[in-house]
């Protein structure tokens, strides 16, 4: 079955929905989303969205904090664009209907690690849910937007599918997607936006929900797009420690440390003061590494987050979601300490874009966590990602309107339907679940917070073996969502491990025990992978 629209959006988190809302004023929009419409990383965002709006704050200070966290790899022009736009973004989100927390009619500004000012605008501790709901409500009023749930994008349609050899810069005509009907359908568009979010599920322990399987990065890579900086995976320092839990780890927002909570090891020592003078409010890479070090040297499984000195009514008022989740587990806040561990949280790399969210594939744009816009460098500053999603969605729509892509042409007739002849229903599903767990364990053990050449070599050997086996199975089997995601996870795991192996230094989120120093002379560059080429490109 074939469908067509002016704009095709893959993903219904903040980036995809904001773009869809804006695009709906200019043409027909189809949004494909692989589960229910609200299911996204956005929906679980807690802390908030950063913007320099306090009386003591300025975009310049937000810029400096972002550049400092990014450890020399942020693209200054991208950061300038984002921090200057941030106050307007907050106003616009409020106009759309997001109810941010206010105190005496002014926005309440929280604090998070790496920020030198209070600048985190929030809806208590469920900011993402408030944003997701407001965007979905606004879109429901737009008849030109059609959201298709349970539609999993499988492959971008490019020249390759016209049986023409792709030029240096391929063109995207839309996607093949597995729909509710159990078949693969074609969705054509003049412009396609990748807003498929991150890839936390590649690790055994993550704060990300099950949708975060890196599909957009894997699809774009297979279509020939440039992928950048995949070695920079952010581990959030404080996920709730629950050894028997199988799903995503519950996050204890950094805003809790921003409100004064401190970290203690199992002897009760406030250890962060030994690692950084900013203590619990040092950037995330520093706090996560410090916790990892405490756990490894002491043989402990968790550290404590201590809120006992904080005012009970303030904690309950500011963090109702966290208080309730802890209560469900028998932890009474603020009286009990919370056991916490780091967990994979955010992908700073992704599909390489320019300042207008253009990828290296014509008519394909990317924004949100799937993209590498240059904003985060080697480490994302807390609460900069919801902001980035909106700013670069704005950039994408403005760029498309300024230079509109041609109408859908002969590709609509010529690109053939998905060909699954010769494939069979699989009877070996145990392979899929086993391979996913094996991949997640390899990534956690060998490509985690602290890496080494030996561990990365081991990881790459195992990932490549899994990749070859999965590819073979994929070719012979009728596709299911689980198999498509497993293939994408393996591709993303390979991109992360390969990029990590390439960078022979320690910087930001990438710590190599055998290359402990930062080496600006050789490595102040983005790691860019296109097909089987890997190179180091100077930052803009
Ligand atoms: P997402 O919100 O993840 O949306 C991706 C969408 O794509 C989903 O709808 C998904 O179903 C869909 N999708 C994926 N693959 C496919 C496919 N193949 N086909 C069709 N659809 C697909 N950042 C902040 O700035 N502040 C915070 O306070 C904050 N807190 C966080 C708390 C948690 C627990 C987590 C996990 C993240 C947090 N982050 C926070 C990070 C932030 O939430 C994300 O980076 C951001 O929401 C990403 O938005 P997005 O639109 O790019 O992707
Ligand atoms: C948090 O609330 O700690 C998450 C903030 C973020 O990921 O930016």
């Amino acid at each position: 079955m074939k469908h067509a629209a002016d704009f095709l959006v893959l993903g219904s988190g903040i980036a995809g929905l904001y773009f869809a809302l804006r695009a709906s004023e200019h043409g027909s929009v189809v949004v494909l989303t692989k589960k229910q419409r609200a299911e996204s990383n956005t929906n679980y965002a807690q802390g908030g969205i950063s913007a320099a709006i306090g009386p003591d704050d300025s975009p310049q200070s937000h810029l400096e904090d972002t550049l400092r966290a990014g450890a020399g790899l942020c693209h200054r022009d991208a950061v300038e664009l984002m921090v200057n736009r941030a106050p307007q973004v907050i106003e616009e989100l409020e106009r759309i209907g997001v109810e941010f927390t206010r105190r005496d009619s002014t926005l309440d500004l929280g604090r998070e690690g790496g920020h030198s000012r209070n600048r985190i605008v929030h809806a208590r501790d469920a900011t993402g849910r408030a944003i997701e709901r407001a965007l979905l409500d606004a879109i429901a009023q737009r008849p030109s937007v059609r959201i298709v749930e349970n539609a999993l994008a499988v492959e971008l349609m490019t020249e390759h599918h016209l049986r023409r050899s792709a030029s240096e810069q391929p063109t995207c005509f839309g996607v093949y997607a597995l729909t509710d009907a159990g078949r693969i359908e074609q969705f054509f568009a003049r412009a396609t936006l990748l807003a498929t979010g991150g890839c936390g599920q590649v690790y055994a322990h993550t704060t990300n929900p099950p949708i975060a399987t890196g599909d957009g990065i894997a699809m774009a890579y297979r279509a020939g797009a440039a992928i950048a900086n995949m070695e920079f995976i952010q581990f959030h320092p404080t996920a709730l420690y629950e050894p028997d839990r199988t799903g995503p780890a519950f996050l204890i927002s950094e805003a809790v440390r921003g409100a004064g909570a401190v970290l203690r090891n199992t002897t009760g020592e406030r250890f962060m003061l030994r690692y950084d003078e900013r203590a619990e409010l040092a950037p995330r890479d520093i706090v996560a590494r410090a916790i990892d070090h405490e756990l490894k040297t002491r043989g402990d499984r968790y550290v404590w987050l201590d809120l006992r000195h904080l005012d009970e009514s303030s904690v309950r008022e500011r963090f109702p979601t966290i208080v309730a989740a802890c209560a469900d587990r028998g932890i009474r806040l603020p009286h009990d300490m919370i056991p916490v561990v780091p967990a994979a949280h955010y992908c700073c790399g992704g599909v390489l874009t320019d300042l207008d969210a253009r990828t290296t594939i014509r008519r394909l744009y990317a924004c949100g966590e799937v993209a590498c816009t240059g904003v985060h460098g080697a480490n994302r500053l807390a609460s900069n990602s919801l902001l980035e999603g909106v700013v670069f969605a704005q950039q994408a729509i403005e760029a498309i309107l300024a230079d509109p892509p041609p109408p859908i042409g002969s590709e609509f007739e010529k690109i053939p339907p998905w060909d699954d002849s010769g494939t069979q229903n699989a009877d070996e599903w145990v392979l899929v679940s086993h391979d996913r767990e094996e991949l997640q364990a390899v990534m956690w053990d060998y490509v985690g917070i602290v890496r080494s050449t030996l561990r990365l070599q081991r990881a790459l050997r195992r990932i490549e073996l899994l990749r070859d086996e999965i590819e073979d199975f994929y070719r012979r089997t009728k596709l299911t969502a689980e198999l498509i995601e497993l293939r994408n996870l393996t591709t993303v795991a390979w991109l992360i491990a390969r990029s990590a192996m390439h960078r022979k230094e320690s910087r930001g989120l990438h710590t190599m025990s055998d290359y402990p120093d930062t080496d600006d002379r050789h490595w102040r560059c983005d790691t860019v992978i296109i097909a089987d080429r890997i190179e180091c490109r100077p930052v803009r």
Side-chain angles (χ1 to χ4, degrees):
M1 191 177 266
K2 295 190 184 215
H3 312 259
D6 293 314
F7 304 95
L8 176 63
V9 179
L10 308 180
S12 57
I14 190 168
L17 292 179
Y18 181 83
F19 177 91
L21 192 62
R22 292 284 310 271
S24 68
E25 293 156 18
H26 306 281
S28 57
V29 186
V30 167
V31 180
L32 303 185
T33 189
K34 70 179 180 184
K35 298 273 191 228
Q36 294 78 26
R37 59 194 66 201
E39 194 52 16
S40 57
N41 273 9
T42 301
N43 203 38
Y44 298 93
Q46 293 185 355
I49 173 162
S50 53
I53 53 181
D56 62 341
D57 204 358
S58 65
Q60 179 63 26
S61 166
H62 191 179
L63 173 93
E64 282 160 15
D65 291 347
T66 302
L67 297 181
R68 197 172 310 116
L73 292 199
C74 296
H75 293 211
R76 193 184 175 96
D77 52 2
V79 182
E80 272 170 355
L81 175 75
M82 182 182 79
V83 298
N84 288 331
R85 197 73 76 73
Q88 281 163 259
V89 166
I90 301 298
E91 279 172 25
E92 184 160 4
L93 288 174
E94 285 198 300
R95 256 198 313 277
I96 290 169
V98 183
E99 290 184 23
F100 292 119
T101 303
R102 287 179 173 269
R103 232 172 257 291
D104 306 327
S105 85
T106 53
L107 286 166
D108 184 50
L109 299 176
R111 184 73 157 258
E112 289 182 6
H115 289 274
S116 57
R117 303 279 191 285
N118 282 24
R119 66 166 71 98
I120 314 299
V121 179
H122 59 93
R124 297 205 184 173
D125 60 353
T127 310
R129 199 160 64 222
I131 293 175
E132 187 75 19
R133 196 176 296 156
L135 286 170
L136 283 171
D137 286 350
I139 282 181
Q141 311 301 318
R142 301 288 170 98
S144 54
V145 184
R146 180 178 153 222
I147 300 187
V148 188
E149 295 184 324
N150 303 311
L152 174 78
V154 180
E155 218 62 276
L156 297 171
M157 295 190 291
T158 61
E159 279 93 347
H160 167 73
H161 299 100
L162 285 169
R163 308 206 193 292
R164 226 193 271 152
S165 62
S167 57
E168 255 307 287
Q169 195 188 16
T171 305
C172 174
F173 302 110
V175 291
Y176 291 104
L178 177 64
T179 66
D180 241 356
R183 59 175 176 248
I184 296 197
E185 303 182 16
Q186 288 169 285
F187 291 82
F188 290 85
R190 296 172 70 178
T192 300
L193 179 82
L194 272 179
T196 45
C199 59
Q201 286 288 326
V202 81
Y203 285 95
H205 306 289
T206 178
T207 61
N208 291 190
I211 53 100
T213 52
D215 300 350
I217 298 171
M219 280 190 292
Y221 170 70
R222 285 195 294 270
I227 309 294
N229 289 353
M230 290 299 291
E231 63 273 41
F232 298 114
I233 297 292
Q234 184 170 74
F235 291 80
H236 196 292
T238 56
L240 184 63
Y241 172 70
E242 286 185 288
D244 299 330
R245 189 175 169 89
T246 47
F250 181 77
L251 184 75
I252 309 293
S253 175
E254 191 153 317
V256 176
R257 278 175 281 132
V262 297
L263 288 161
R264 299 190 185 280
N265 60 26
T266 48
T267 65
E269 182 204 2
R270 190 179 164 200
F271 59 88
M272 270 315 299
L273 291 162
R274 274 195 275 120
Y275 293 87
D276 193 286
E277 61 187 13
R278 291 163 291 181
E280 285 79 9
L281 289 180
R284 262 178 214 174
D285 55 331
I286 295 171
V287 183
R289 250 188 330 266
I291 296 176
D292 188 63
H293 189 252
E294 289 293 307
L295 299 182
K296 290 203 172 117
T297 51
R298 304 173 46 77
D300 286 339
R301 296 188 162 273
Y302 54 84
V303 296
W304 294 113
L305 186 64
D306 185 359
L307 295 71
R308 290 174 300 176
H309 52 291
L310 302 184
D311 173 61
E312 177 162 359
S313 59
S314 310
V315 169
R316 290 182 171 279
E317 149 90 23
R318 171 71 176 84
F319 303 111
T321 315
I322 294 170
V323 168
C326 285
D328 283 349
R329 288 140 171 112
I331 304 167
R332 291 167 312 123
L333 295 183
H335 310 290
D336 298 333
M337 293 195 286
I338 313 174
V340 291
V341 282
H345 183 63
Y346 184 84
C347 179
C348 293
V351 182
L352 184 67
T353 71
D354 65 12
L355 281 183
D356 290 328
R358 280 190 204 91
T359 70
T360 55
I361 295 185
R362 266 190 222 110
R363 291 159 64 173
L364 180 69
Y365 297 75
C367 59
E369 193 168 338
V370 71
C372 182
T373 60
V375 155
H376 306 305
N379 179 27
R380 175 180 67 102
L381 185 66
S383 287
N384 265 353
S385 52
L386 294 171
L387 175 62
E388 183 201 27
V390 175
V391 168
F392 286 88
Q394 287 173 342
Q395 290 296 102
I397 190 67
E398 279 158 24
I400 293 169
L401 296 178
D403 182 16
I408 296 167
S410 62
E411 68 270 13
F412 188 80
E413 301 305 330
K414 289 194 180 145
I415 294 185
W418 188 260
D419 180 8
D420 63 357
S421 52
T423 61
Q424 293 176 352
N425 288 321
D427 50 4
E428 291 284 16
W429 286 114
V430 65
L431 297 181
V432 174
S433 56
H434 180 273
D435 283 359
R436 185 164 171 150
E437 281 165 25
E438 187 179 341
L439 185 75
Q440 290 169 327
V442 165
M443 291 301 287
W444 185 258
D445 291 339
Y446 302 146
V447 199
I449 297 176
V450 178
R451 302 157 178 180
S452 70
T453 304
L454 188 69
R455 288 185 197 184
L456 291 175
Q457 280 167 341
R458 270 184 163 226
L460 274 167
R461 275 201 299 273
R462 280 156 179 76
I463 295 165
E464 285 171 5
L465 180 64
L466 281 168
R467 182 188 62 189
D468 295 347
E469 287 175 359
I470 291 163
E471 204 56 41
D472 177 56
F473 189 59
Y474 183 90
R475 301 266 156 237
R476 294 186 285 109
T477 309
K478 286 225 183 312
L479 294 188
T480 63
E482 292 75 17
L483 182 53
I484 293 163
E485 288 181 347
L486 174 64
R487 182 180 183 230
N488 291 335
L489 282 168
T490 314
T491 302
V492 168
W494 183 83
L495 288 165
I496 297 170
R498 183 70 192 84
S499 307
M501 185 70 148
H502 189 66
R503 183 175 289 279
K504 301 205 170 4
E505 64 159 354
S506 292
R507 180 189 295 273
L509 297 161
H510 175 67
T511 304
M512 289 285 279
S513 56
D514 40 357
Y515 296 98
D517 299 325
T518 301
D519 174 0
D520 274 341
R521 212 171 115 224
H522 298 102
W523 295 105
R524 196 156 173 272
C525 55
D526 291 328
T527 309
V528 178
I529 299 188
I530 305 172
D532 52 9
R533 277 196 339 260
I534 184 159
E535 62 195 43
C536 191
R537 282 195 197 163
V539 294
R540 279 198 303 267

